[in-house]
Amino acid sequence: MKKYELIFILKTDQSEEQMTARVERVSTILADHDGKITQENHWGVRRLAYEIEYENRGNYMFLKFKSEGTAVNDLDKFLRLDDKVLRHLIVV
């Protein structure tokens, strides 16, 4: 199993429940690939360095997880298709 880090930025009009629902969905995707979240850190609302989709602020979530490499494709697809996620980054 490899160690990964995931950061994603939600639009600020999303509630904490919606942030938690996305983290649970990520956890479900990882569980399907025998992975698990090892660290979860909610950074809160911060100012963006540049405007993304007319948004100046974003709600940041940082996750560390262990998983097989096959989970990364599914996570990337889920976050790319979610219209409330401004940006995401998955790093080994």
Side-chain angles (χ1 to χ4, degrees):
M1 285 186 152
K2 290 185 179 179
K3 296 179 184 178
Y4 294 91
E5 293 181 356
L6 164 65
I7 297 175
F8 62 91
I9 307 169
L10 283 182
K11 293 182 178 181
T12 54
D13 61 353
Q14 302 299 300
S15 66
E16 291 299 317
E17 292 84 26
Q18 291 170 330
M19 174 68 83
T20 321
R22 282 176 179 79
V23 172
E24 288 174 6
R25 176 70 175 126
V26 167
S27 180
T28 304
I29 292 171
L30 291 174
D32 292 343
H33 295 276
D34 299 325
K36 66 176 185 172
I37 296 176
T38 57
Q39 181 183 356
E40 181 179 325
N41 193 354
H42 184 222
W43 291 353
V45 177
R46 294 178 174 216
R47 188 174 184 282
L48 299 173
Y50 54 90
E51 199 172 272
I52 303 172
E53 297 179 16
Y54 304 106
E55 295 282 336
N56 293 325
R57 302 176 70 76
N59 196 357
Y60 284 74
M61 177 58 82
F62 174 78
L63 301 171
K64 284 187 178 182
F65 63 92
K66 292 181 181 180
S67 179
E68 299 298 328
T70 56
V72 174
N73 291 333
D74 290 345
L75 282 175
D76 186 50
K77 183 178 179 181
F78 164 67
L79 294 169
R80 253 187 306 114
L81 295 177
D82 192 346
D83 61 338
K84 299 300 180 183
V85 175
L86 294 174
R87 289 285 189 271
H88 72 280
L89 179 67
I90 303 172
V91 202
V92 176

